């Protein structure tokens, strides 16, 4: 009997301990309260006036704004390279010298050929005059026809000879002009750069590309834009340009030219490719700017000062109309029709329906 009472005592004590533990647990872990309908905190935005800007992002390379190409005036052995790669030169400075002996020989041969043709023409003219004089003494119809035919043939031969002589004289003059460029003078002032694949060749061919003269302080950006952006870009638009290689550095630029012809081809392999158009952007001077750098830019295509704007996500479009949810406080909203203006990917201008300071809720 005593043992039974003892067991009952321990059972009661255990139940008390369990009850106390349950109360403490409930107090430390209160059950979530059910929110009444419409009491959930809405995300709201305030209509405010600010500068609204539309931009087109572009990427490209830097290149020299002014490049004067240098070509060999005629084929020859190079007797001397006067200008070094990367050297500053002035217009009229000798860049290289060509051996003109072969061209001089051709000129002498051309002069001799022209003189020979002139003498032959003079001799033919004299012979024709003698023949015509002899035929002219005849009185028969046949003799008169022969005289007329001889006279016309002589005239045509003289014209043909003059045409050939004119061609020979022009060719001779061109060779003389090329020979005058044997000591090739720089056509412009700037930095002379050799053609990258063949520096200081021992011999050149006629019209071979030798190098170029550039202005190091005049560079521009060549960028490519897609067909969806090309008609938004106009010459004169400001550009903010960044150098990939130099962090936190921004240059000012301006759109100079927008190509109206697509850069991609029209063959079968490119039919599915989006068309790309070249945009030339002038750049301000910078000591860090050299040709060949990777650049990125933002072209400002549209700007509006003091525009009343709200986030684009706050706009509701239904059946051709545009609305916002005007916050009335206390979790209450009112559907308000508005008229929109300029748009960017993030914000939209409100022309009618709201005032600065109005609060709109996220739909």
């Amino acid at each position: 009997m005593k043992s039974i009472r003892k067991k009952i005592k321990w059972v009661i004590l255990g139940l008390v301990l369990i009850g106390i533990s349950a109360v403490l647990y409930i107090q430390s872990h209160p059950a979530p309260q059910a929110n009444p309908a419409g009491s959930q905190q809405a995300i709201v935005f305030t209509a405010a006036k600010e500068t609204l800007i539309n931009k087109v992002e572009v990427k490209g390379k830097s290149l020299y704004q002014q490049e004067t190409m240098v070509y060999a005036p005629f084929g020859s052995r190079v007797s001397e390279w006067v200008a070094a790669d990367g050297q500053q030169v002035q217009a009229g400075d000798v860049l290289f010298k060509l051996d003109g002996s072969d061209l001089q020989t051709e000129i002498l041969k051309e002069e001799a050929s022209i003189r020979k043709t002139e003498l032959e023409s003079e001799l033919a003219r004299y012979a024709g005059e003698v023949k015509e004089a002899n035929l002219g003494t005849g009185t028969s119809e046949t003799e008169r026809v022969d005289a007329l035919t001889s006279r016309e043939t002589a005239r045509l031969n003289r014209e043909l000879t003059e045409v050939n002589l004119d061609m020979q004289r022009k060719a001779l003059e061109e060779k003389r002009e090329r020979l005058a460029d044997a000591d090739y003078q720089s056509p412009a002032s700037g930095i002379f750069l050799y053609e990258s694949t063949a520096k200081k060749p021992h011999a050149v061919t006629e019209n071979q590309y030798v190098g170029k003269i550039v202005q190091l302080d005049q560079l521009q950006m060549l960028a490519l834009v897609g067909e969806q952006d090309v008609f938004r870009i106009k010459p004169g638009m400001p550009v903010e340009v960044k150098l990939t290689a130099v962090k936190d550095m921004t240059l000012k630029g301006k759109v100079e030219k927008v190509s109206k012809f697509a850069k991609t081809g029209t063959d079968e392999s490119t039919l599915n490719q989006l068309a790309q158009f070249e945009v030339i952007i002038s750049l301000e001077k910078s000591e860090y700017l050299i040709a060949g750098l990777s650049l990125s830019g933002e072209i400002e295509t549209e700007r509006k000062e003091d525009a009343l704007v709200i986030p684009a996500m706050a706009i509701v479009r239904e059946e051709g109309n545009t609305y916002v949810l005007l916050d009335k406080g206390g979790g209450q909203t009112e559907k308000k029709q508005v008229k929109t203006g300029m748009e960017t990917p993030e914000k939209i201008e409100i022309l009618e329906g709201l005032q600065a300071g109005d609060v709109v809720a996220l739909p």
Side-chain angles (χ1 to χ4, degrees):
M1 190 71 175
K2 186 177 181 180
S3 62
I4 293 175
R5 289 196 192 97
K6 189 175 182 180
K7 288 181 180 179
I8 293 173
K9 181 180 178 181
W10 283 109
V11 170
I12 294 172
L13 182 60
L15 291 173
V16 172
L17 292 175
I18 292 173
I20 294 172
S21 299
V23 171
L24 293 175
Y25 179 83
I26 292 173
Q27 290 178 348
S28 62
H29 296 78
Q33 298 292 325
N35 289 330
S39 65
Q40 185 177 1
Q41 185 67 34
I43 300 176
V44 296
F45 306 95
T46 302
K49 291 190 175 183
E50 59 183 71
T51 300
L52 202 57
I53 301 175
N54 255 324
K55 298 180 179 179
V56 172
E57 295 185 358
V58 295
K59 292 184 178 181
K61 294 283 187 180
S62 59
L63 69 160
Y64 298 112
Q65 185 173 345
Q66 181 178 349
E67 294 184 340
T68 304
M69 303 304 176
V70 175
Y71 299 93
F74 57 90
S76 171
R77 180 181 62 85
V78 181
S79 59
E80 181 183 0
W81 286 99
V82 179
D85 187 33
Q87 178 180 331
Q88 175 74 45
V89 297
Q90 300 298 323
D93 289 350
V94 175
L95 301 181
F96 54 87
K97 297 181 179 181
L98 300 179
D99 181 3
S101 57
D102 291 342
L103 186 57
Q104 182 64 53
T105 300
E106 292 180 17
I107 290 175
L108 292 175
K109 290 181 178 179
E110 195 76 40
E111 290 174 338
S113 176
I114 291 174
R115 183 55 181 162
K116 178 175 179 293
T117 302
E118 290 174 340
L119 292 174
E120 289 176 346
S121 177
E122 185 68 19
L123 181 60
R125 185 185 65 81
Y126 177 74
E129 290 176 351
V130 172
K131 183 177 181 181
E132 184 178 353
N134 293 331
L135 289 173
T137 59
T139 57
S140 67
E141 183 67 23
T142 301
E143 290 175 335
R144 286 195 297 271
V145 170
D146 288 343
L148 180 61
T149 301
S150 177
R151 189 163 47 247
E152 189 63 19
T153 301
R155 185 186 65 81
L156 294 176
N157 284 334
R158 285 195 300 271
E159 289 184 5
L160 179 61
T161 300
E162 283 301 319
V163 170
N164 290 331
L165 281 173
D166 285 342
M167 294 175 61
Q168 287 181 290
R169 292 185 184 112
K170 288 180 180 179
L172 176 62
E173 186 60 29
E174 289 176 358
K175 290 181 179 180
R176 286 172 175 167
E177 290 176 356
R178 291 201 296 269
L179 184 61
D181 287 333
D183 291 352
Y184 188 88
Q185 297 178 345
S186 175
S189 299
I191 301 298
F192 177 56
L193 300 175
Y194 287 115
E195 197 276 322
S196 58
T197 59
K199 293 183 178 180
K200 290 188 176 182
H202 299 295
V204 293
T205 58
E206 184 175 345
N207 292 324
Q208 178 179 330
Y209 174 58
V210 175
K212 57 187 175 182
I213 300 167
V214 301
Q215 299 289 339
L216 294 182
D217 59 348
Q218 297 179 5
L219 282 91
Q220 58 190 9
M221 175 182 179
L222 173 62
L224 294 176
V225 299
E227 55 192 62
Q228 69 276 13
D229 291 323
V230 66
F231 296 108
R232 298 171 56 195
I233 302 173
K234 306 295 182 184
M237 288 181 171
V239 188
E240 189 176 88
V241 180
K242 293 183 178 180
L243 282 70
T244 304
V246 184
K247 294 183 179 179
D248 302 325
M249 181 177 180
T250 302
L251 299 176
K252 293 181 180 180
K254 183 177 69 173
V255 175
E256 296 292 338
K257 182 180 178 181
V258 183
S259 174
K260 298 303 180 185
F261 300 95
K263 187 173 178 60
T264 54
T266 56
D267 54 51
E268 186 175 351
S269 63
T270 61
L271 289 178
N272 295 325
Q273 296 181 11
L274 293 177
Q276 297 287 306
F277 298 83
E278 290 186 347
V279 177
I280 303 297
I281 300 169
S282 61
L283 301 172
E284 64 176 322
K285 296 180 182 180
S286 171
E287 59 179 323
Y288 298 100
L289 200 56
I290 58 176
L293 292 178
S294 297
L295 305 175
S296 61
E298 292 182 340
I299 302 175
E300 185 179 304
T301 59
E302 191 177 8
R303 170 185 285 262
K304 190 166 187 180
E305 305 287 349
D306 204 30
L308 182 64
V309 301
I310 61 172
M313 65 178 66
I315 292 292
V316 179
R317 288 186 169 92
E318 293 179 352
E319 299 179 353
N321 296 317
T322 305
Y323 302 92
V324 297
L325 297 181
L326 186 63
D327 186 71
K328 306 295 291 183
Q332 301 298 316
T333 59
E334 175 189 345
K335 197 173 183 180
K336 187 72 177 291
Q337 186 172 350
V338 295
K339 180 180 178 181
T340 61
M342 179 178 167
E343 299 185 13
T344 72
E346 296 82 21
K347 298 183 178 182
I348 292 182
E349 178 190 15
I350 302 299
L351 299 176
E352 297 177 5
L354 291 179
Q355 295 181 350
D358 286 346
V359 178
V360 296
L362 189 68

